[in-house]
Amino acid sequence: MIKTILFLIISLFFFSSFSRAADLPAGSIKTVKGNVVIIRQNQILPAAIGEKIFKNDGLRTGPGGTLGIIFKDDSLLSLGPNTEVTISEFLFSPAEGKLSMVARIIKGTVAYLSGIIARLSPDSVRLETPVGNVGIRGTKFAIKIEGEGPSS
């Protein structure tokens, strides 16, 4: 009986620690101007400086909106007006060799400045667009995706 209780306590601790690791923020908002929202678990939230960004968050700027994000690895992502991006994946645990950043650019203008993940593992950073993928080999670039996108 004591072994069963001990097993349950250890299991609860392990699973609660595991779920907390999945809830760690990928980064945070550093600048916001105009109409900018975060789409998180089917909820639309107003973007604000200091707000945490998580894996699977959607980011959308309006006609005059801009957004600046700094990720845990010091990468910078800037969104121009009428832009929609989803943070598909973000893993930053260099000690464990877990490094990955994937962002899906649906429409609009995005500028990216690479951080630690791209320096340690360039193949682990990818920006996906409706017409292809961009692998990161340099330090900075900008992408403009024209079109209506799914949110129009």
Side-chain angles (χ1 to χ4, degrees):
M1 180 71 170
I2 292 178
K3 287 183 182 181
T4 304
I5 293 171
L6 186 59
F7 175 76
L8 289 173
I9 290 171
I10 291 171
S11 296
L12 283 172
F13 175 75
F14 173 75
F15 288 116
S16 67
S17 296
F18 180 74
S19 68
R20 273 185 266 134
D23 293 340
L24 292 176
S28 62
I29 295 176
K30 288 298 174 191
T31 63
V32 63
K33 177 184 162 195
N35 184 16
V36 182
V37 296
I38 301 167
I39 299 114
R40 179 176 297 146
Q41 298 174 349
N42 296 322
Q43 293 184 333
I44 297 176
L45 310 168
I49 293 174
E51 180 75 31
K52 303 299 181 199
I53 301 298
F54 295 88
K55 174 184 168 188
N56 296 319
D57 276 356
L59 309 166
R60 187 183 305 155
T61 61
T66 62
L67 178 67
I69 300 167
I70 185 164
F71 289 91
K72 292 291 185 179
D73 76 325
D74 292 329
S75 294
L76 301 174
L77 190 67
S78 298
L79 282 62
N82 294 317
T83 298
E84 192 169 341
V85 173
T86 300
I87 307 305
S88 302
E89 185 173 306
F90 189 85
L91 295 170
F92 184 59
S93 184
E96 298 173 26
K98 295 180 181 178
L99 303 167
S100 179
M101 179 180 171
V102 178
R104 188 167 53 101
I105 304 164
I106 299 160
K107 70 174 186 172
T109 305
V110 174
Y112 173 81
L113 179 62
S114 65
I116 297 169
I117 293 174
R119 284 194 286 280
L120 295 177
S121 181
D123 292 335
S124 298
V125 178
R126 189 173 73 244
L127 277 78
E128 301 172 342
T129 72
V131 294
N133 296 329
V134 179
I136 308 306
R137 300 294 179 269
T139 57
K140 59 184 170 181
F141 66 88
I143 295 175
K144 183 172 184 175
I145 305 297
E146 305 233 358
E148 294 303 311
S151 66
S152 296

